[in-house]
Every structure is written in C-alpha cells, then in structure tokens.
Amino acid sequence: MALSNNVIGAINFVAVLLSIPVIGAGIWLATEADNSCVKLLQWPVIILGILILVVALAGFIGGFWRIPWLLILYLVAMLILIILLASLVVFIYMVTIKGSGHLAPSRAYLEYRLDDFSGWLRRRVRSPYKWDRIKSCLSSTQMCPELNQSYRMAQDFFNAHITPLQSGCCKPPTECGYTFVNPTYWISPINNAADMDCLQWSNDQMQLCYNCDSCKAGLLANLKKEWRRVDIILLVTLVALIWVYLIGCCAFRNAKTEDLFRKYKQGTYT
C-alpha cells in the first residue's frame, strides 16, 4: 500500500509540473497585444492550468499521506480536467483551421480577408460594440508607429515581413492603389472605390485602417498564429497528463488490492 501510494504521490508531482506550461501559455497570451485586447483565450487557459495544479497537489498529498477520499477526489477531478483540456485543444484547432494570407503584387507581406476565417472567430469582431473596444485598445499600442521608425523608403517597406495585424490595420489594402509616403501615411488615388476598406482608410494616426475588415482579418490571423502555438503546448501536456492519469489509476488499483490482501492475511477481511 505504501509503495503504491508513494507512486501516486510521485506521478502527481509530475502532474504539478505539467500545469506550469499550461499556466505559462495563458500568461504568454495575456502579454501579447492582440490577445490582451481581445481577451478570449488567455483566462480559460490560465484557469484550467491552475485547476490542474490544485488537483495534482491534492493527488500528491493524498498519495504521500495516504488519504483515500482525497485520492478518489483527485481521480474524478483529473478525469474531468483531462476531458476539458482535450475539448479545448480540439476547439482551438477547429476555430483556427481556416484563414490564410494572400500575396499582394510586388509585396513581401501578406494581406488577409475576413471571410477566410471561421464563423466563430468572425463573430468575435463583427459586433460594433466589441470592435470599438478592441480598436481602441489596438490603436493605443506602438505596432503602427514603430513601422515609421523602421521603414523610411517605399521599397524597404514593400519588402518587409510585417505582422498580419500591421498589414491589416496600419496601411490601406494594396488593391486600393494608394501612394506610399510612409508606412502609415498614404496619398489617396483618384478612384479608390475598389473595396470598402479603401474608403475606410484615414491618414489620421488614431484611425488608419482600424475600421477596415482587413484590420479585423489581420487580428484574427495574428490570433490564429498564437493560438496554434498554444494548442501545441496544450496537446503535449494533454498526452503527458493522460499517461500520468493512467499510471495513477493503476497505482491506486494496486494499492486497494494490496490493502484487501493485507486485511485478508490478518483475518479481518469480511
């Protein structure tokens, strides 16, 4: 019994360690400007990581201090958390499976279209109320002003590999035919009715293309890239947690078997 309980305690220490990358992934998302403005995924990931940490600590304590009811609570709670984590991994994959950039003529960077992304993600930015809050947050960052410091010449900017968010929000779409002055200041063509985003562009440094669908698409492209990285971390953690859980179940079953056998040998088994 003692050996099996020690095994349960040891593997739950591993589960404690596995909660760290989950919590870290959520904190990393919270530090990224786009995710901190949208506030969609970081808190579910952080909360799930904390719950895994708490439940693993319960299993660790229950194993080393031989508290059967705490071990049973651990087994039930960890199974629920594994199912939640698996659901989150699948959900992130499904909502980020769509959406990719399009090459623009004579440009190194990609441009993005809102309709290319999943319906769930599009609904997160379609609401005027939600987008006004996100837009205000994005415009307060330095992502667009830093382009003016990095690229003085038109060709340097056209050859730059800027982020999807910068591509969508800091400049007009290439098809609009605007003339480059600097990355966030462009001269309007005579006819700029190629797309509604062409009419939305403003040289006002607080407006730029923040009202454009291309900005929303660039935001979703950024989210997709970052969420996919987090999804890989969560998937690896999920696989490791499943192994830890299965070993824990076997150790718990062996502990109960040893306990029954010991009672039988002592003549107390009824």
Side-chain angles (χ1 to χ4, degrees), residues 32-102:
E32 295 297 303
D34 49 352
N35 275 282
S36 64
C37 290
V38 178
K39 296 181 174 67
L40 283 177
L41 189 63
Q42 59 264 45
W43 282 113
V45 173
I46 291 173
I47 291 171
L48 188 58
I50 292 173
L51 289 175
I52 292 172
L53 173 63
V54 171
V55 171
L57 282 173
F60 177 77
I61 294 170
F64 273 116
W65 277 270
R66 304 178 191 177
I67 308 174
W69 68 266
L70 197 55
L71 288 175
I72 294 172
L73 178 64
Y74 152 75
L75 291 173
V76 174
M78 186 58 78
L79 178 60
I80 294 172
L81 290 177
I82 286 174
I83 294 172
L84 288 175
L85 182 58
S87 300
L88 184 60
V89 168
V90 173
F91 172 76
I92 294 173
Y93 175 77
M94 293 303 296
V95 300
T96 58
I97 197 170
K98 294 181 180 180
S100 59
H102 301 271

Side-chain angles (χ1 to χ4, degrees), residues 129-145:
Y129 170 75
K130 291 180 181 178
W131 183 249
D132 284 344
R133 177 180 57 80
I134 296 170
K135 178 179 66 176
S136 176
C137 178
L138 291 175
S139 62
S140 66
T141 68
Q142 292 299 307
M143 67 171 185
C144 292

Side-chain angles (χ1 to χ4, degrees), residues 1-19:
M1 178 71 171
L3 178 60
S4 295
N5 280 336
N6 287 340
V7 171
I8 295 173
I11 63 172
N12 277 289
F13 180 72
V14 176
V16 169
L17 297 179
L18 289 174
S19 70

Side-chain angles (χ1 to χ4, degrees), residues 119-180:
W120 188 88
L121 281 177
R122 291 201 306 270
R123 286 191 292 273
R124 306 285 77 78
V125 297
R126 276 265 167 85
S127 164
Y129 170 75
K130 291 180 181 178
W131 183 249
D132 284 344
R133 177 180 57 80
I134 296 170
K135 178 179 66 176
S136 176
C137 178
L138 291 175
S139 62
S140 66
T141 68
Q142 292 299 307
M143 67 171 185
C144 292
E146 71 182 17
L147 292 177
N148 292 331
Q149 300 172 7
S150 301
Y151 306 105
R152 301 290 184 181
M153 305 298 293
Q155 199 56 47
D156 291 339
F157 180 67
F158 297 155
N159 291 333
H161 294 278
I162 59 179
T163 68
L165 198 54
Q166 289 173 324
S167 174
C169 302
C170 303
K171 64 169 192 60
T174 301
E175 65 179 354
C176 297
Y178 279 75
T179 301
F180 178 94

